[in-house]
Amino acid sequence: MIRVLLVHDACLVRSVLAQWLDREPDLRVEAVPWHSAAGRLGAGRPDVCAADLDCSDAYGLPPLGDLCARGGGGPVPPRLLVLASADRPGLLKRALEAGALGYVDKAGTPEQLLRGIRKVAKGERFVNDSLGFGFLKAAEMPLTRRELSVLSLAAEGASVAEIAGNLHLSHGTVRNYMAAITRKTGARNRVDAIRISQGQGWL
């Protein structure tokens, strides 16, 4: 039996996917929104966490680290499979850095998700071919994970103080990151850096 934690913020999509997956005799599925996901890891002890990379909480940043963290003496974290889009290479890069094993294209079929879950449960990598272009774009991204986090928060309208508090940084460090982002993107200012990054699908 494969225990699956399905993480998706759209209630209708989450419910339909969970019902569809639950028909399989070898799967036991629990479906939750992002804000409840970390709290269910210890109780449900899933083998696979299938998470949509679009997150409505935390300024749109999927807290993938919460799903993969392993505390001292704690349970083994689940293997991570993500539901992704080729036109969001920034999110693909986050998933790669979080150690995701599976990458299912959200434009694909439910059967692909089912196949991905079973492969990842065995510790095998699963990647939809249709995400190839997204991975190429992710490899070309000039921004680091931390810079992407800072810029994502800025794009949601967060102030320097709010960004600093959310990411546990000093105000000066946030300003240094914003300066580096502006330079790397070839932007004129913060607003221009956000525009360029959104146009490239980095955010």
Side-chain angles (χ1 to χ4, degrees), residues 164-178:
N166 191 284
L167 299 178
H168 309 292
L169 302 171
S170 70
H171 292 193
T173 300
V174 172
R175 292 190 183 95
N176 288 341
Y177 275 126
M178 286 306 307

Side-chain angles (χ1 to χ4, degrees), residues 90-167:
L91 292 177
L92 282 173
K93 185 172 184 176
R94 286 180 183 280
L96 277 168
E97 292 173 340
L101 269 181
Y103 301 82
V104 174
D105 191 343
K106 292 200 288 188
T109 65
E111 286 79 13
Q112 290 292 309
L113 174 58
L114 181 58
R115 185 174 166 223
I117 287 171
R118 287 176 173 148
K119 292 268 286 186
V120 168
K122 297 176 185 177
E124 300 173 8
R125 185 170 293 279
F126 179 86
V127 183
N128 276 151
D129 292 342
S130 53
L131 294 175
F133 179 71
F135 281 108
L136 286 175
K137 294 285 285 182
E140 296 170 355
M141 288 177 57
L143 303 180
T144 65
R145 178 173 59 177
R146 179 61 85 184
E147 288 166 349
L148 281 172
S149 296
V150 169
L151 191 59
S152 295
L153 293 171
E156 294 292 329
S159 66
V160 169
E162 289 169 334
I163 295 171
N166 191 284
L167 299 178

Side-chain angles (χ1 to χ4, degrees), residues 54-109:
D54 285 317
C55 173
S56 64
D57 295 328
Y59 294 97
L61 301 175
L64 295 173
D66 292 349
L67 304 181
C68 305
R70 179 177 182 175
V76 176
R79 294 184 171 111
L80 180 61
L81 175 146
V82 296
L83 309 179
S85 300
D87 61 356
R88 300 292 301 279
L91 292 177
L92 282 173
K93 185 172 184 176
R94 286 180 183 280
L96 277 168
E97 292 173 340
L101 269 181
Y103 301 82
V104 174
D105 191 343
K106 292 200 288 188
T109 65

Side-chain angles (χ1 to χ4, degrees), residues 34-51:
W34 267 106
H35 67 80
S36 302
R40 295 305 305 160
L41 293 181
R45 300 209 173 180
D47 303 300
V48 176
C49 182

